[in-house]
Amino acid sequence: RFKIDASYLSPNVNMAARLEAATKQFRTPLLLSEDFFDGLSKPARKRCRIIDKVTVKGSIQPMGLYTCDIIDYPEQFGVPEYDENGNRKAFDFDGEAMEHIQA
């Protein structure tokens, strides 16, 4: 049997927990780190706005916090689709949604 060392995930898990907790402080349902924002496509970045720059615990470099304003997305954007048997269809990675999130 092999053990997997998942300690490399720890900083990312900690950051996700901090961002989720900070949504209450910033009164927004979604916070994005600057690193995540930088990985978005240009169309997706246009829907985001910077909220603040903060220095998180354990770091000395300020990081931008962003939120994504999606109020004007098409009504069906991201809504799961189902086939005639009621089975959920696979996500269309070549569809309209990906135009907003692929870099």
Side-chain angles (χ1 to χ4, degrees), residues 35-79:
D35 287 338
F36 187 86
F37 172 82
D38 290 343
L40 294 173
S41 67
K42 286 184 182 181
R45 279 189 229 143
K46 287 181 182 178
R47 297 191 180 272
C48 298
R49 61 185 164 87
I50 192 161
I51 292 181
D52 202 353
K53 273 206 176 257
V54 298
T55 304
V56 297
K57 183 178 178 182
S59 177
I60 58 170
Q61 184 173 351
M63 173 186 70
L65 292 181
Y66 294 80
T67 191
C68 190
D69 297 315
I70 58 172
I71 196 144
D72 60 341
Y73 270 38
E75 187 175 318
Q76 294 298 312
F77 181 82
V79 175

Side-chain angles (χ1 to χ4, degrees), residues 11-52:
N12 297 314
V13 172
N14 289 339
M15 179 59 67
R18 288 185 181 121
L19 289 173
E20 192 279 329
T23 60
K24 295 167 189 71
Q25 176 185 349
F26 290 99
R27 297 181 181 176
T28 183
L30 179 66
L31 280 176
L32 310 171
S33 69
E34 189 167 8
D35 287 338
F36 187 86
F37 172 82
D38 290 343
L40 294 173
S41 67
K42 286 184 182 181
R45 279 189 229 143
K46 287 181 182 178
R47 297 191 180 272
C48 298
R49 61 185 164 87
I50 192 161
I51 292 181
D52 202 353

